[in-house]
Amino acid sequence: EAGVVQSPRYKIIEKKQPVAFWCNPISGHNTLYWYLQNLGQGPELLIRYENEEAVDDSQLPKDRFSAERLKGVDSTLKIQPAELGDSAVYLCASSADSGAYEQYFGPGTRLTVT
Amino acid sequence: QKEVEQNSGPLSVPEGAIASLNCTYSDRVSQSFFWYRQYSGKSPELIMSIYSNGDKEDGRFTAQLNKASQYVSLLIRDSQPSDSATYLCAVFYNQGGKLIFGQGTELSVKP
């Protein structure tokens, strides 16, 4: 069974530029998560999707971050414009359903903003 | 009090020893607990889940849960250098319906 797929793996951009990350969850997983992980910290939830619906985006900085999950499968997370403080690893995870189910992570995208 | 607390380490153990990783959490009604392993430069990998008080064993790994004390631990028996990684404790908080991670404990197993 294929795991969670993310691209790109690495991205270097200048501040004020836009950037987008893509995620394909494990087949059949209805719930998709985007997390942010800073060095030395655990992942922090940005947004959770159940199928196409964003059910928890309370931690997403909506002035510059946006996300979508069209057709309830793939998802894209966008930052526009990027700031220096956005440098981090962006992780996508999926689970069979919402709730206290096991979540499986993709390889992540390491973003560096210069 | 942080929602999920772990000692950041590093915890250093000799090869073959038992490594003990600890985690406390603040939500008294949490029911689901997870341990993730994260190698340097890699993403978190789920290695154990535990939902009931007591011990759960999987190979060299044993997760222990004590809900009354709000404490969950991970024991690694016969530690190997390949176990050197950061171990993340994660607790599912019913209020808000989200998984909260600790900051992780770095484990170093010395040959």
Side-chain angles (χ1 to χ4, degrees), chain A residues 9-10 33 35 37 40-45 48 56 58-59 91 98-108 110, chain B residues 2 31-32 34 36 38 41-46 48-49 51 56 88 92 94 96-104:
Chain A
R9 294 292 311 279
Y10 305 91
Y33 313 80
Y35 286 89
Q37 187 175 26
Q41 301 297 318
E44 298 176 23
L45 182 68
R48 172 167 62 102
D56 183 359
S58 57
Q59 301 303 309
L91 295 162
S98 63
Y101 289 88
E102 298 172 341
Q103 297 182 21
Y104 298 90
F105 285 87
R110 183 176 298 276
Chain B
K2 290 183 179 178
Q31 298 292 323
S32 305
F34 307 89
Y36 286 81
Q38 187 170 26
K42 302 295 185 182
S43 62
E45 174 192 8
L46 180 65
M48 289 288 284
S49 57
Y51 305 96
K56 179 182 178 181
L88 295 162
F92 186 81
N94 294 333
K98 61 180 65 174
L99 199 58
I100 305 296
F101 287 81
Q103 77 271 32

Short mmCIF file of all heavy atoms in Angstrom, two decimals, chain A residues 9-10 33 35 37 40-45 48 56 58-59 91 98-108 110, chain B residues 2 31-32 34 36 38 41-46 48-49 51 56 88 92 94 96-104:
data_model
loop_
_atom_site.label_atom_id
_atom_site.label_comp_id
_atom_site.label_asym_id
_atom_site.label_seq_id
_atom_site.Cartn_x
_atom_site.Cartn_y
_atom_site.Cartn_z
N ARG A 9 9.82 18.00 -2.17
CA ARG A 9 10.46 17.63 -0.91
C ARG A 9 11.19 18.81 -0.30
O ARG A 9 11.27 18.93 0.92
CB ARG A 9 11.43 16.48 -1.13
CG ARG A 9 10.76 15.18 -1.55
CD ARG A 9 9.91 14.59 -0.41
NE ARG A 9 10.65 14.54 0.84
CZ ARG A 9 11.49 13.59 1.16
NH1 ARG A 9 11.73 12.59 0.32
NH2 ARG A 9 12.13 13.61 2.33
N TYR A 10 11.71 19.66 -1.14
CA TYR A 10 12.43 20.83 -0.67
C TYR A 10 12.04 22.03 -1.54
O TYR A 10 11.78 21.87 -2.74
CB TYR A 10 13.96 20.64 -0.76
CG TYR A 10 14.46 19.42 -0.05
CD1 TYR A 10 14.57 18.20 -0.71
CD2 TYR A 10 14.81 19.48 1.30
CE1 TYR A 10 15.01 17.08 -0.05
CE2 TYR A 10 15.25 18.35 1.97
CZ TYR A 10 15.35 17.15 1.28
OH TYR A 10 15.79 16.03 1.94
N TYR A 33 -4.70 15.90 6.87
CA TYR A 33 -4.21 16.93 7.78
C TYR A 33 -2.98 17.60 7.18
O TYR A 33 -2.15 16.95 6.56
CB TYR A 33 -3.78 16.32 9.11
CG TYR A 33 -4.75 15.34 9.73
CD1 TYR A 33 -4.82 14.02 9.30
CD2 TYR A 33 -5.58 15.73 10.79
CE1 TYR A 33 -5.69 13.13 9.87
CE2 TYR A 33 -6.46 14.83 11.37
CZ TYR A 33 -6.51 13.52 10.91
OH TYR A 33 -7.38 12.63 11.48
N TYR A 35 0.20 19.73 8.75
CA TYR A 35 0.89 20.13 9.97
C TYR A 35 2.10 20.97 9.60
O TYR A 35 2.67 20.86 8.52
CB TYR A 35 1.40 18.91 10.73
CG TYR A 35 0.36 18.09 11.46
CD1 TYR A 35 -0.31 17.05 10.81
CD2 TYR A 35 0.07 18.33 12.80
CE1 TYR A 35 -1.24 16.27 11.49
CE2 TYR A 35 -0.86 17.55 13.48
CZ TYR A 35 -1.51 16.53 12.81
OH TYR A 35 -2.44 15.77 13.49
N GLN A 37 5.95 21.77 11.26
CA GLN A 37 6.89 21.35 12.29
C GLN A 37 8.13 22.23 12.26
O GLN A 37 8.85 22.28 11.25
CB GLN A 37 7.29 19.88 12.12
CG GLN A 37 8.16 19.38 13.28
CD GLN A 37 8.47 17.90 13.21
OE1 GLN A 37 8.49 17.31 12.14
NE2 GLN A 37 8.73 17.29 14.37
N GLY A 40 13.01 21.00 16.46
CA GLY A 40 12.98 20.72 17.89
C GLY A 40 11.60 20.70 18.51
O GLY A 40 11.47 20.62 19.72
N GLN A 41 10.58 20.78 17.67
CA GLN A 41 9.19 20.79 18.16
C GLN A 41 8.40 19.66 17.52
O GLN A 41 8.78 19.12 16.48
CB GLN A 41 8.53 22.13 17.84
CG GLN A 41 9.23 23.34 18.43
CD GLN A 41 9.22 23.31 19.95
OE1 GLN A 41 8.20 22.98 20.56
NE2 GLN A 41 10.35 23.64 20.56
N GLY A 42 7.28 19.34 18.15
CA GLY A 42 6.38 18.38 17.53
C GLY A 42 5.53 19.05 16.46
O GLY A 42 5.45 20.28 16.40
N PRO A 43 4.92 18.27 15.59
CA PRO A 43 4.05 18.85 14.57
C PRO A 43 2.87 19.59 15.20
O PRO A 43 2.35 19.18 16.23
CB PRO A 43 3.57 17.62 13.78
CG PRO A 43 4.57 16.56 14.06
CD PRO A 43 5.04 16.81 15.45
N GLU A 44 2.45 20.66 14.53
CA GLU A 44 1.28 21.43 14.97
C GLU A 44 0.27 21.48 13.84
O GLU A 44 0.62 21.80 12.70
CB GLU A 44 1.71 22.85 15.35
CG GLU A 44 2.69 22.91 16.50
CD GLU A 44 3.17 24.33 16.77
OE1 GLU A 44 2.46 25.28 16.41
OE2 GLU A 44 4.27 24.48 17.34
N LEU A 45 -0.97 21.20 14.16
CA LEU A 45 -2.01 21.13 13.14
C LEU A 45 -2.30 22.50 12.55
O LEU A 45 -2.50 23.49 13.27
CB LEU A 45 -3.28 20.55 13.73
CG LEU A 45 -4.45 20.38 12.76
CD1 LEU A 45 -4.14 19.28 11.73
CD2 LEU A 45 -5.73 20.05 13.52
N ARG A 48 -7.51 20.51 9.04
CA ARG A 48 -7.99 19.13 8.90
C ARG A 48 -9.17 19.10 7.94
O ARG A 48 -10.10 19.90 8.07
CB ARG A 48 -8.40 18.58 10.25
CG ARG A 48 -9.11 17.22 10.20
CD ARG A 48 -9.21 16.60 11.59
NE ARG A 48 -9.99 17.42 12.50
CZ ARG A 48 -11.27 17.17 12.84
NH1 ARG A 48 -11.91 16.17 12.29
NH2 ARG A 48 -11.89 17.94 13.71
N ASP A 56 -11.54 21.89 10.52
CA ASP A 56 -10.80 22.58 11.55
C ASP A 56 -9.66 23.36 10.90
O ASP A 56 -8.66 22.77 10.51
CB ASP A 56 -10.25 21.61 12.60
CG ASP A 56 -9.52 22.33 13.73
OD1 ASP A 56 -9.41 23.58 13.71
OD2 ASP A 56 -9.05 21.64 14.66
N SER A 58 -8.70 26.37 12.43
CA SER A 58 -8.54 27.41 13.43
C SER A 58 -7.09 27.86 13.60
O SER A 58 -6.83 28.97 14.05
CB SER A 58 -9.09 26.94 14.78
OG SER A 58 -8.45 25.75 15.19
N GLN A 59 -6.13 27.00 13.27
CA GLN A 59 -4.72 27.34 13.42
C GLN A 59 -4.08 27.79 12.11
O GLN A 59 -2.86 28.03 12.08
CB GLN A 59 -3.96 26.14 13.98
CG GLN A 59 -4.46 25.66 15.33
CD GLN A 59 -4.44 26.76 16.37
OE1 GLN A 59 -3.42 27.43 16.56
NE2 GLN A 59 -5.57 26.95 17.04
N LEU A 91 4.10 19.12 6.84
CA LEU A 91 3.79 17.70 6.80
C LEU A 91 2.32 17.49 6.46
O LEU A 91 1.45 18.18 6.98
CB LEU A 91 4.07 17.07 8.16
CG LEU A 91 5.52 17.05 8.62
CD1 LEU A 91 5.60 16.80 10.12
CD2 LEU A 91 6.30 15.97 7.89
N SER A 98 -11.98 10.55 10.74
CA SER A 98 -11.65 11.56 11.74
C SER A 98 -11.75 10.93 13.13
O SER A 98 -12.14 9.78 13.27
CB SER A 98 -12.59 12.75 11.62
OG SER A 98 -13.92 12.34 11.90
N GLY A 99 -11.38 11.68 14.13
CA GLY A 99 -11.42 11.13 15.47
C GLY A 99 -10.07 10.55 15.86
O GLY A 99 -9.05 10.84 15.26
N ALA A 100 -10.10 9.69 16.83
CA ALA A 100 -8.86 9.19 17.41
C ALA A 100 -8.27 8.04 16.62
O ALA A 100 -7.94 6.99 17.15
CB ALA A 100 -9.13 8.75 18.85
N TYR A 101 -8.14 8.22 15.34
CA TYR A 101 -7.58 7.20 14.49
C TYR A 101 -6.10 7.46 14.24
O TYR A 101 -5.62 8.57 14.32
CB TYR A 101 -8.33 7.15 13.16
CG TYR A 101 -9.71 6.57 13.28
CD1 TYR A 101 -10.79 7.39 13.59
CD2 TYR A 101 -9.95 5.22 13.10
CE1 TYR A 101 -12.06 6.88 13.71
CE2 TYR A 101 -11.22 4.69 13.22
CZ TYR A 101 -12.28 5.53 13.53
OH TYR A 101 -13.54 5.02 13.65
N GLU A 102 -5.40 6.41 13.90
CA GLU A 102 -3.98 6.51 13.64
C GLU A 102 -3.74 7.36 12.40
O GLU A 102 -4.37 7.17 11.36
CB GLU A 102 -3.39 5.11 13.47
CG GLU A 102 -3.54 4.26 14.73
CD GLU A 102 -3.14 2.83 14.53
OE1 GLU A 102 -3.09 2.39 13.37
OE2 GLU A 102 -2.88 2.13 15.54
N GLN A 103 -2.83 8.29 12.53
CA GLN A 103 -2.47 9.19 11.44
C GLN A 103 -1.11 8.79 10.89
O GLN A 103 -0.19 8.50 11.64
CB GLN A 103 -2.43 10.63 11.93
CG GLN A 103 -3.77 11.15 12.42
CD GLN A 103 -3.72 12.60 12.84
OE1 GLN A 103 -2.84 13.36 12.46
NE2 GLN A 103 -4.71 13.00 13.65
N TYR A 104 -1.01 8.84 9.57
CA TYR A 104 0.23 8.47 8.89
C TYR A 104 0.73 9.66 8.11
O TYR A 104 -0.02 10.30 7.36
CB TYR A 104 -0.02 7.28 7.96
CG TYR A 104 -0.48 6.05 8.72
CD1 TYR A 104 -1.83 5.81 8.94
CD2 TYR A 104 0.44 5.16 9.26
CE1 TYR A 104 -2.26 4.71 9.66
CE2 TYR A 104 0.03 4.05 9.98
CZ TYR A 104 -1.33 3.83 10.17
OH TYR A 104 -1.74 2.75 10.90
N PHE A 105 2.01 9.93 8.27
CA PHE A 105 2.61 11.13 7.69
C PHE A 105 3.30 10.86 6.36
O PHE A 105 3.85 9.77 6.14
CB PHE A 105 3.65 11.72 8.65
CG PHE A 105 3.05 12.44 9.82
CD1 PHE A 105 2.72 11.76 10.97
CD2 PHE A 105 2.81 13.80 9.75
CE1 PHE A 105 2.15 12.43 12.05
CE2 PHE A 105 2.24 14.48 10.83
CZ PHE A 105 1.92 13.79 11.98
N GLY A 106 3.28 11.87 5.52
CA GLY A 106 4.10 11.88 4.32
C GLY A 106 5.51 12.33 4.65
O GLY A 106 5.81 12.64 5.81
N PRO A 107 6.39 12.38 3.63
CA PRO A 107 7.78 12.73 3.88
C PRO A 107 8.02 14.20 4.22
O PRO A 107 9.07 14.54 4.75
CB PRO A 107 8.47 12.37 2.56
CG PRO A 107 7.38 12.48 1.55
CD PRO A 107 6.13 12.04 2.23
N GLY A 108 7.03 15.05 3.94
CA GLY A 108 7.16 16.46 4.29
C GLY A 108 7.82 17.28 3.19
O GLY A 108 8.49 16.75 2.29
N ARG A 110 10.34 20.58 3.10
CA ARG A 110 11.16 21.51 3.88
C ARG A 110 11.22 22.83 3.13
O ARG A 110 11.77 22.91 2.03
CB ARG A 110 12.56 20.96 4.10
CG ARG A 110 13.43 21.87 4.97
CD ARG A 110 14.79 21.24 5.25
NE ARG A 110 14.65 20.00 6.00
CZ ARG A 110 14.52 19.91 7.31
NH1 ARG A 110 14.55 21.02 8.04
NH2 ARG A 110 14.40 18.75 7.91
N LYS B 2 1.84 22.54 29.79
CA LYS B 2 1.70 22.17 28.39
C LYS B 2 0.75 20.99 28.28
O LYS B 2 0.63 20.16 29.17
CB LYS B 2 3.07 21.79 27.82
CG LYS B 2 4.02 22.97 27.67
CD LYS B 2 5.33 22.52 27.03
CE LYS B 2 6.28 23.68 26.84
NZ LYS B 2 7.56 23.24 26.24
N GLN B 31 -8.40 9.51 25.45
CA GLN B 31 -8.55 8.06 25.39
C GLN B 31 -7.55 7.38 24.45
O GLN B 31 -7.44 6.16 24.45
CB GLN B 31 -9.97 7.71 24.92
CG GLN B 31 -11.07 8.19 25.84
CD GLN B 31 -11.08 7.47 27.17
OE1 GLN B 31 -10.81 6.28 27.24
NE2 GLN B 31 -11.36 8.20 28.25
N SER B 32 -6.88 8.19 23.63
CA SER B 32 -6.04 7.60 22.59
C SER B 32 -4.66 8.23 22.61
O SER B 32 -4.54 9.46 22.65
CB SER B 32 -6.68 7.82 21.22
OG SER B 32 -8.00 7.32 21.20
N PHE B 34 -0.41 7.84 21.21
CA PHE B 34 0.42 7.33 20.13
C PHE B 34 1.88 7.69 20.37
O PHE B 34 2.19 8.73 20.95
CB PHE B 34 -0.04 7.94 18.79
CG PHE B 34 -1.51 7.76 18.51
CD1 PHE B 34 -2.42 8.70 18.94
CD2 PHE B 34 -1.97 6.64 17.84
CE1 PHE B 34 -3.78 8.55 18.71
CE2 PHE B 34 -3.33 6.46 17.61
CZ PHE B 34 -4.24 7.42 18.04
N TYR B 36 5.38 8.14 18.06
CA TYR B 36 5.97 8.25 16.73
C TYR B 36 7.50 8.30 16.88
O TYR B 36 8.03 8.88 17.83
CB TYR B 36 5.51 9.53 16.03
CG TYR B 36 4.08 9.51 15.52
CD1 TYR B 36 3.02 9.75 16.37
CD2 TYR B 36 3.81 9.24 14.18
CE1 TYR B 36 1.71 9.73 15.92
CE2 TYR B 36 2.51 9.23 13.71
CZ TYR B 36 1.46 9.47 14.57
OH TYR B 36 0.17 9.45 14.10
N GLN B 38 10.93 9.60 14.88
CA GLN B 38 11.33 10.51 13.83
C GLN B 38 12.86 10.54 13.73
O GLN B 38 13.54 11.05 14.61
CB GLN B 38 10.79 11.92 14.07
CG GLN B 38 11.04 12.88 12.92
CD GLN B 38 10.28 14.20 13.06
OE1 GLN B 38 9.95 14.64 14.16
NE2 GLN B 38 9.99 14.84 11.93
N GLY B 41 15.84 14.50 9.85
CA GLY B 41 15.56 14.84 8.47
C GLY B 41 14.41 14.07 7.84
O GLY B 41 14.13 14.23 6.66
N LYS B 42 13.76 13.23 8.63
CA LYS B 42 12.63 12.42 8.13
C LYS B 42 11.34 12.84 8.81
O LYS B 42 11.34 13.64 9.74
CB LYS B 42 12.90 10.93 8.38
CG LYS B 42 14.18 10.42 7.75
CD LYS B 42 14.13 10.48 6.24
CE LYS B 42 15.37 9.85 5.62
NZ LYS B 42 15.35 9.95 4.13
N SER B 43 10.24 12.26 8.36
CA SER B 43 8.95 12.58 8.94
C SER B 43 8.61 11.59 10.05
O SER B 43 9.21 10.51 10.14
CB SER B 43 7.87 12.56 7.85
OG SER B 43 7.76 11.28 7.29
N PRO B 44 7.65 11.92 10.91
CA PRO B 44 7.27 11.00 12.00
C PRO B 44 6.67 9.70 11.46
O PRO B 44 5.87 9.70 10.52
CB PRO B 44 6.23 11.80 12.78
CG PRO B 44 6.51 13.23 12.45
CD PRO B 44 6.96 13.22 11.04
N GLU B 45 7.05 8.61 12.11
CA GLU B 45 6.58 7.27 11.75
C GLU B 45 5.85 6.68 12.95
O GLU B 45 6.42 6.58 14.03
CB GLU B 45 7.77 6.39 11.36
CG GLU B 45 7.42 4.94 11.11
CD GLU B 45 8.66 4.07 11.03
OE1 GLU B 45 9.78 4.57 11.31
OE2 GLU B 45 8.54 2.89 10.70
N LEU B 46 4.61 6.28 12.76
CA LEU B 46 3.83 5.70 13.85
C LEU B 46 4.39 4.33 14.24
O LEU B 46 4.54 3.45 13.39
CB LEU B 46 2.37 5.56 13.43
CG LEU B 46 1.41 4.97 14.46
CD1 LEU B 46 1.28 5.90 15.67
CD2 LEU B 46 0.05 4.72 13.84
N MET B 48 3.56 2.94 17.76
CA MET B 48 2.71 2.32 18.76
C MET B 48 1.46 3.17 18.98
O MET B 48 1.52 4.39 18.94
CB MET B 48 3.43 2.18 20.11
CG MET B 48 4.53 1.16 20.16
SD MET B 48 3.93 -0.53 20.14
CE MET B 48 3.34 -0.69 21.82
N SER B 49 0.36 2.51 19.24
CA SER B 49 -0.85 3.18 19.69
C SER B 49 -1.37 2.42 20.90
O SER B 49 -1.21 1.19 20.98
CB SER B 49 -1.90 3.22 18.58
OG SER B 49 -2.20 1.92 18.14
N TYR B 51 -4.74 2.45 23.89
CA TYR B 51 -6.03 3.04 24.22
C TYR B 51 -6.52 2.65 25.61
O TYR B 51 -7.42 3.28 26.14
CB TYR B 51 -7.08 2.60 23.19
CG TYR B 51 -6.68 2.91 21.76
CD1 TYR B 51 -6.08 1.94 20.96
CD2 TYR B 51 -6.89 4.16 21.21
CE1 TYR B 51 -5.71 2.21 19.65
CE2 TYR B 51 -6.53 4.45 19.90
CZ TYR B 51 -5.95 3.47 19.13
OH TYR B 51 -5.59 3.74 17.83
N LYS B 56 1.10 -2.55 26.44
CA LYS B 56 0.89 -3.10 25.10
C LYS B 56 2.26 -3.34 24.50
O LYS B 56 3.07 -2.43 24.41
CB LYS B 56 0.08 -2.14 24.23
CG LYS B 56 -0.13 -2.66 22.81
CD LYS B 56 -0.89 -1.66 21.97
CE LYS B 56 -1.07 -2.15 20.55
NZ LYS B 56 -1.79 -1.14 19.70
N LEU B 88 8.29 10.98 19.54
CA LEU B 88 7.21 11.94 19.79
C LEU B 88 6.02 11.24 20.42
O LEU B 88 5.54 10.24 19.90
CB LEU B 88 6.77 12.58 18.47
CG LEU B 88 7.79 13.45 17.75
CD1 LEU B 88 7.38 13.64 16.29
CD2 LEU B 88 7.92 14.80 18.42
N PHE B 92 -4.62 12.28 21.72
CA PHE B 92 -5.81 12.79 21.03
C PHE B 92 -6.69 13.49 22.05
O PHE B 92 -7.14 12.87 23.03
CB PHE B 92 -6.58 11.67 20.36
CG PHE B 92 -7.73 12.18 19.53
CD1 PHE B 92 -7.50 12.66 18.26
CD2 PHE B 92 -9.02 12.21 20.04
CE1 PHE B 92 -8.55 13.15 17.49
CE2 PHE B 92 -10.06 12.69 19.28
CZ PHE B 92 -9.83 13.17 18.00
N ASN B 94 -10.10 15.08 22.94
CA ASN B 94 -11.49 15.04 22.49
C ASN B 94 -12.03 16.44 22.25
O ASN B 94 -12.76 16.68 21.29
CB ASN B 94 -12.35 14.30 23.51
CG ASN B 94 -11.97 12.83 23.59
OD1 ASN B 94 -11.48 12.25 22.63
ND2 ASN B 94 -12.19 12.24 24.75
N GLY B 96 -11.91 19.65 20.77
CA GLY B 96 -11.19 20.14 19.62
C GLY B 96 -10.90 19.05 18.61
O GLY B 96 -10.67 19.32 17.44
N GLY B 97 -10.95 17.80 19.05
CA GLY B 97 -10.78 16.66 18.15
C GLY B 97 -9.47 16.68 17.41
O GLY B 97 -9.42 16.48 16.19
N LYS B 98 -8.37 16.93 18.13
CA LYS B 98 -7.10 16.96 17.44
C LYS B 98 -6.02 16.23 18.20
O LYS B 98 -6.09 16.03 19.41
CB LYS B 98 -6.67 18.41 17.18
CG LYS B 98 -6.47 19.25 18.40
CD LYS B 98 -6.05 20.68 18.04
CE LYS B 98 -7.12 21.42 17.29
NZ LYS B 98 -6.79 22.84 17.03
N LEU B 99 -4.99 15.84 17.44
CA LEU B 99 -3.83 15.16 17.99
C LEU B 99 -2.82 16.21 18.42
O LEU B 99 -2.43 17.06 17.61
CB LEU B 99 -3.25 14.24 16.93
CG LEU B 99 -2.34 13.10 17.36
CD1 LEU B 99 -3.05 12.18 18.33
CD2 LEU B 99 -1.87 12.31 16.14
N ILE B 100 -2.43 16.16 19.68
CA ILE B 100 -1.46 17.11 20.22
C ILE B 100 -0.15 16.37 20.46
O ILE B 100 -0.13 15.33 21.13
CB ILE B 100 -1.95 17.75 21.53
CG1 ILE B 100 -3.31 18.39 21.33
CG2 ILE B 100 -0.92 18.77 22.04
CD1 ILE B 100 -3.32 19.55 20.37
N PHE B 101 0.94 16.92 19.94
CA PHE B 101 2.24 16.30 20.07
C PHE B 101 3.06 16.96 21.16
O PHE B 101 2.98 18.18 21.36
CB PHE B 101 3.01 16.41 18.75
CG PHE B 101 2.51 15.52 17.66
CD1 PHE B 101 1.40 15.88 16.90
CD2 PHE B 101 3.13 14.30 17.41
CE1 PHE B 101 0.93 15.05 15.89
CE2 PHE B 101 2.67 13.47 16.41
CZ PHE B 101 1.57 13.84 15.65
N GLY B 102 3.88 16.15 21.83
CA GLY B 102 4.92 16.70 22.67
C GLY B 102 6.07 17.17 21.81
O GLY B 102 6.07 17.00 20.58
N GLN B 103 7.08 17.76 22.45
CA GLN B 103 8.21 18.29 21.67
C GLN B 103 9.21 17.21 21.28
O GLN B 103 10.10 17.46 20.48
CB GLN B 103 8.92 19.41 22.45
CG GLN B 103 9.83 18.94 23.57
CD GLN B 103 9.08 18.81 24.88
OE1 GLN B 103 7.90 18.50 24.94
NE2 GLN B 103 9.80 19.08 25.96
N GLY B 104 9.01 16.00 21.82
CA GLY B 104 9.89 14.90 21.45
C GLY B 104 11.05 14.72 22.39
O GLY B 104 11.54 15.68 22.99
#
